[in-house]
Amino acid sequence: GCTSSPRIGVTVTVNPLPTISANTTLMSVCMGGMVTLTGGGANSYTWDNSVTNGVAFMPLSTLTYNVTGTDANGCMNTASIMVPVNSLPTVTASSSAATVCAGDMETLTGGGATSYTWDNSVMDGVAFATTGTTTYNVTGTDGNGCVNTASTTVTVNSLPTVTANASSMTVCMGDMETLTGGGATSYTWDNSVMDGVAFATSGTTTYNVTGTDGNGCMNTSSVMVTVNTLPTVTANASAMTVCMGDMETLTGGGATSYTWDNSVMDGVAFATSGTITYNVTGTDGNGCMNTASVMVTVNPLPTVTYSETMNMVCVNWAAFALAAGSPANGAYSGTGVTGTMFDPGTAGTGTYTITYSYTDANTCTASATSSVTVDACLGIQNPSETSSFSVYPNPNNGTFTITAPSEGVYSIVNQLGQTIKSIQLNAANNYSINVEDISNGIYFIIGTTNNKVVRQKIVVTK
């Protein structure tokens, strides 16, 4: 050995022991990490715990490792070093939602360590937009620099393919429209629209729908409904006020085609029958309709009567006044008529229709007719005066009374000028006499009273 008891006369050389050092590449190591131990101060080294000097190994727990170093003199010494083995952090990977919809924001956070590094360009605790189902891996490092990993899978459901559908893409203002969504489970529309429920349109609008599927994923779609304005329809009358029976023409305006009530045809004249409010529906080129109305006031015709009392005259008689038309101040017309006079000689023999027309304050005109027969009246001379006596009733049934203001001789003459009967009126019969048993026909009573020739026509109808 390097030491021995001295012997007399012998020189003993004592070599010092080598100063051994135990060295490590890491002062501490994480579980599963590699470390290398090396000895110093000698020529060769022997380690316990199966460690080979200078060869990396994986320590399983914290240990003190001992090394024996031998120098060139064969002298040995020892040294030791403790290698702490830190356990790995229990890293967790958490997601704000395990299942999301495509495009939703997701936040991943690591746990159990001090700092975290994620793959897929994820930043710990920072929200990002998902694009598809992915397993995300995180590496967590604790205060000892030890790392561990964890992972989490985020399932990303695809968005539904939502459609926006309209019962009609083009409608007229106020028409009912129904919007329905497709491709999802439930639908929410803007503009207060309820899916599948009809509503009244008010203007061209783009309607947006959000559809939600069974996974709660949503997508949107839109549809534009074009709303055409209604035409500004007008109802026009050729005259606002007319007389009963006048022709009236109604025309619509502001549209393309028109339909009237009360059987009126647009632009076609019709006979009025009473004051009526007429309604028209106009349709434009888009098929949009609107209505308008117009009231046509129809004034009644005046009530006109006319029955000519002198309806049987002789052709050689003088013109006489027509005065049987009512109301007064109307106008007479017909053959032989001039103003209010009828001239038998101008008309000639025959039967003529005389028309009496009257126009009221509303300028409505009505007329009535009567006839005058002009006869040759052979043998009957034209009397110079019209009657100053009375005959009643006239017409009669063959019995009538003649009354005069004074005495006179009167003859009842037929249309051939033949005297049927002669009558004397005087004070004895009180200037009045009853005549009986005259046959049907037209007769003339001609007489002289107060030295004047007078005449009167009578009509006998049985």
Side-chain angles (χ1 to χ4, degrees):
C2 293
T3 61
S4 63
S5 299
R7 295 179 181 178
I8 299 172
V10 177
T11 300
V12 177
T13 302
V14 179
N15 294 313
L17 298 179
T19 301
I20 302 300
S21 63
N23 308 298
T24 178
T25 54
L26 295 172
M27 297 306 296
S28 65
V29 68
C30 299
M31 182 68 71
M34 302 296 286
V35 68
T36 301
L37 299 181
T38 55
N43 292 89
S44 62
Y45 307 93
T46 302
W47 292 82
D48 57 6
N49 290 295
S50 301
V51 173
T52 301
N53 190 68
V55 178
F57 69 97
M58 180 187 297
L60 300 178
S61 62
T62 299
L63 287 176
T64 298
Y65 294 89
N66 302 293
V67 63
T68 299
T70 304
D71 63 10
N73 294 315
C75 293
M76 296 179 293
N77 208 349
T78 62
S80 63
I81 188 170
M82 186 177 72
V83 178
V85 177
N86 296 311
S87 59
L88 301 182
T90 302
V91 176
T92 59
S94 305
S95 60
S96 56
T99 302
V100 295
C101 301
D104 281 358
M105 299 302 288
E106 175 68 87
T107 302
L108 301 181
T109 53
T114 303
S115 63
Y116 308 93
T117 302
W118 291 85
D119 58 5
N120 289 290
S121 303
V122 173
M123 301 293 291
D124 190 70
V126 178
F128 64 96
T130 56
T131 57
T133 298
T134 304
T135 297
Y136 296 92
N137 302 293
V138 62
T139 299
T141 303
D142 63 11
N144 295 315
C146 295
V147 295
N148 209 348
T149 61
S151 63
T152 184
T153 299
V154 177
T155 300
V156 179
N157 293 314
S158 60
L159 301 183
T161 302
V162 176
T163 59
N165 312 295
S167 56
S168 180
M169 301 300 292
T170 302
V171 296
C172 300
M173 184 73 72
D175 282 358
M176 299 302 287
E177 175 67 88
T178 302
L179 302 181
T180 53
T185 304
S186 62
Y187 307 91
T188 302
W189 292 83
D190 59 4
N191 289 289
S192 302
V193 172
M194 300 294 290
D195 191 71
V197 178
F199 63 97
T201 56
S202 59
T204 297
T205 304
T206 297
Y207 296 91
N208 302 292
V209 63
T210 299
T212 304
D213 64 12
N215 296 316
C217 294
M218 297 181 291
N219 210 347
T220 60
S221 185
S222 62
V223 61
M224 186 177 75
V225 177
T226 300
V227 179
N228 293 315
T229 57
L230 302 183
T232 302
V233 176
T234 58
N236 312 296
S238 55
M240 301 301 292
T241 303
V242 295
C243 299
M244 184 72 72
D246 282 358
M247 299 302 287
E248 174 68 89
T249 302
L250 301 182
T251 53
T256 304
S257 61
Y258 307 92
T259 302
W260 292 85
D261 59 3
N262 289 289
S263 302
V264 172
M265 300 293 290
D266 191 70
V268 178
F270 64 96
T272 56
S273 59
T275 297
I276 296 177
T277 296
Y278 296 90
N279 302 293
V280 64
T281 299
T283 304
D284 64 11
N286 295 317
C288 295
M289 297 180 291
N290 209 347
T291 59
S293 61
V294 62
M295 185 176 76
V296 177
T297 300
V298 178
N299 292 314
L301 300 181
T303 300
V304 177
T305 60
Y306 174 42
S307 179
E308 181 55 51
T309 58
M310 295 293 290
N311 57 5
M312 178 64 74
V313 297
C314 297
V315 71
N316 62 343
W317 288 6
F320 59 89
L322 301 169
S326 177
N329 302 317
Y332 294 93
S333 62
T335 301
V337 175
T338 302
T340 61
M341 303 296 291
F342 179 80
D343 186 353
T346 300
T349 57
T351 299
Y352 301 98
T353 297
I354 308 299
T355 300
Y356 179 74
S357 300
Y358 176 79
T359 301
D360 63 13
N362 294 318
T363 69
C364 293
T365 301
S367 61
T369 61
S370 188
S371 63
V372 174
T373 298
V374 179
D375 192 81
C377 297
L378 298 178
I380 301 177
Q381 297 301 313
N382 181 28
S384 60
E385 292 261 346
T386 58
S387 146
S388 61
F389 60 92
S390 61
V391 179
Y392 56 90
N394 187 19
N396 57 71
N397 60 3
T399 299
F400 54 92
T401 300
I402 300 174
T403 300
S406 60
E407 67 178 16
V409 177
Y410 297 90
S411 299
I412 300 176
V413 180
N414 65 17
Q415 295 182 67
L416 297 177
Q418 299 169 330
T419 300
I420 303 301
K421 184 177 291 189
S422 293
I423 299 167
Q424 176 69 48
L425 294 181
N426 51 38
N429 53 24
N430 294 319
Y431 312 108
S432 180
I433 191 169
N434 292 331
V435 180
E436 298 180 350
D437 298 329
I438 299 297
S439 301
N440 285 354
I442 297 175
Y443 300 87
F444 296 93
I445 300 175
I446 301 174
T448 301
T449 180
N450 295 328
N451 297 316
K452 293 181 179 180
V453 177
V454 293
R455 64 175 172 80
Q456 177 73 283
K457 182 182 73 172
I458 61 172
V459 177
V460 178
T461 303
K462 294 184 177 180

